[in-house]
Amino acid sequence: GSCQGNSVERKIYIPLNKTAPCVRLLNATHQIGCQSSISGDTGVIHVVEKEEDLNWVLADGPHPPYMILLDGSLFNRRVMLQLKGTSRVSGLAVTVAKPSPPQGFSPGLKCPNDGFGVYSKDYGPQFAHCNKTVWNPVGSGLSYEDFDFPIFLLEDANETQVIKQCYQDHNVPRDGSGPEYPLCAMQLFSHMHAVTSTVTCMRRSSLQSTFSINPEVVCDPLLDYNVWSTLQPINSSGKVDPEKEVIIVATRIDSHSFFWNIAPGAESAVSSFVTHLAAAEALHKVSDVHLLQRNIMFTFFQGETFDYIGSSRMVYDMEKDKFPLRLDNIHSFVELNQVALRNDSILWMHTDPVSRMNESVEVQVRNLLDILNNSSVGASVTLQEAGYSQPLPPSSFQRFLRARHIPGVVLTDHKTAFQNRYYQSMYDTPENIRMQYPEGLSPEETLEYVTDTAKSLAEVATVVARALYRLAGGANNTSAIQADPKTVSRMLYGFLIKMNNSWFQSIIKPDIKGILGDVPQHYVAVSSPVNTTYLVQYVLANLTGTVVNLTKEECVNPDKTPSSEKEMYEYAWVQGSLDPNSTSRVPYCVRSTVHLSKALSPAFELRQWGSTEYSTWTESRWKEIRARIFLVASKELEIITLVVGIAILIFSLLATYFINAKADVLFSIPRDPGAVAY
């Protein structure tokens, strides 16, 4: 028979395994997020499903502090600030509201990345701090508050049910009076090592590194990599000829929410970068791209949510000659922002009214808008100008404008405020961009199923690809340039529903197949590259690269292959798809122009941790994050148990002492009566 160990701990505690914590982030001046005390915080569980239930926690309940199981629909700024102002709360476990809150929910700021874009007291002061347009009106700023108790998200409905059952069995108030002991309690561990600000925590980490053999780092900068590639190959280790003009197409690939590593970002990031990838594929299929007079650079910025980490770094590198391109090479800039929630298929073109006051910029911007308009003729996407009186929405393009007047346009689905009511929240899910699948499809069928969302994003990609072709000097008819809705469907499925799918498995390197988790999240994090970066890199290589006939050895070490043009191309030996007749894969070599470049804020290169020009966001380190529930006895019983225990201990010590003192009497050997003494 099988032998099963069952420790005392497992008899006492029920661990909660599917949770996501709120962690501490820091910038130059503030700390935001949550933390527990060093040994974890404990409290009696109280379920709050309607606002009246809060009275028990805040005033009436006889057993504070309380751990609140909060219904997702009540997780808002008003309730949270009530809880923040009391010592009767030791922590929160939040459930996911189903369906998503109809009034919208965004814990982000009303004016995202305020102060780090182009508008300031010196440049378009009338547009600074969202004076003209509040982009995210439902933004509550909850993610940017500092809570001194732990807050966890419960991701598993079964675990939520276990907690509610424990509450029902032990904690429900009877006839208005407090419940009897034992009570159901919860303990949350999420102690954070960093405090105050990035300046403080980076200084501490730096001192430790200087003077300690085993330095204890307390925080890490948010960092990752930008992904970029060009339509015509360029020497990635050299410099592009100053006369060569390049059009930059850009999107962000990261998102955020109140909870750590919960960042579905369907509308805020995925809709735009998937459209961008589809446009890149459509352009690479055009036969005369190598003849275009201007090159096109496809750029995917990481860390944009946190004050434009990726774009500010690329601009910095271009200015410091650490990038193949210089700012002088940029002919124009096209950015795809949130594009999935269009009303009447209208896509809005936003431009910068301040730089357009310069006549030469105005002429180029006008040309750009005309080309975009003409490219939408015959497509089911209507392009409209957002207007002169309106500033740019939060966008990577703003960081380039800070450096110089570049003609550019930002494409979005909103004229003024965001259409997205769940910006930077856990509810920015596939449902938010109206992705729907028929019932009963297998994972493979779901991967291939072309949704209406995919068709509409493919239309946007087609218009963008045709406009870019014209902008780059293409003279042929553009009707053949067409984005593939099937590719868009696969990407939406992989980036929003299930990363571990057959297509993603086939296009990545064998040594990184471990990155394919289940539910995709797009948080920038501190360990890089994150899954999103890897996958955007390999999807882009798959869609725009070519399969070359090289052995594994030649592909992994292209330096040894004379014809490889290693400076111009990147090579990747990818897993390939499963052989239909066996369980083995058919790997192959992909040659592409896809590169990674650092997305670490220049503030950390320059050691300017208090910078107001560059992002200074860091993430605190922690030792452990966990949650568990258990039954807790009354204070009286605990004191009685302790006193009885101490009494027994004292009694046993005294007994041992006396027995030891009288040992010669108690344990003397009796004489043998038969023995004769001489």
Side-chain angles (χ1 to χ4, degrees), residues 487-528:
T487 307
V488 177
S489 292
R490 287 170 156 200
M491 290 193 281
L492 287 172
Y493 179 78
F495 285 114
L496 286 174
I497 294 169
K498 192 167 194 270
M499 274 189 172
N500 199 2
N501 62 70
S502 59
W503 185 49
F504 278 6
Q505 285 164 11
S506 70
I507 64 172
I508 63 168
K509 288 180 174 178
D511 56 334
I512 58 162
K513 59 176 184 273
I515 67 165
L516 295 176
D518 248 6
V519 182
Q521 305 296 351
H522 307 291
Y523 170 62
V524 52
V526 293
S527 53
S528 60

Side-chain angles (χ1 to χ4, degrees), residues 546-551 554-555 571-574 587-591:
T546 48
V547 176
V548 287
N549 189 14
L550 293 178
T551 63
E554 292 168 329
C555 191
Y571 291 82
W573 184 255
V574 300
Y588 56 91
C589 187
V590 175
R591 184 185 75 181

Side-chain angles (χ1 to χ4, degrees), residues 271 274-276 278-279 282 336 339 342 345-347 372 375-383 411 450-467 479 481-486 488-489 492:
S271 69
V274 159
T275 307
H276 185 169
L336 285 160
V339 291
R342 301 193 304 287
S345 313
I346 296 173
L347 200 58
L372 277 159
S375 302
S376 68
V377 175
S380 60
V381 178
T382 315
L383 285 162
L411 302 175
V450 180
T451 58
D452 291 343
T453 305
K455 287 176 192 162
S456 93
L457 290 179
E459 284 285 350
V460 176
T462 299
V463 171
V464 171
R466 288 175 182 176
S479 58
I481 301 176
Q482 196 77 42
D484 183 4
K486 218 171 182 51
V488 177
S489 292
L492 287 172

Side-chain angles (χ1 to χ4, degrees), residues 554-565:
E554 292 168 329
C555 191
V556 174
N557 302 304
D559 327 11
K560 296 175 183 168
T561 315
S563 61
S564 72
E565 297 180 277

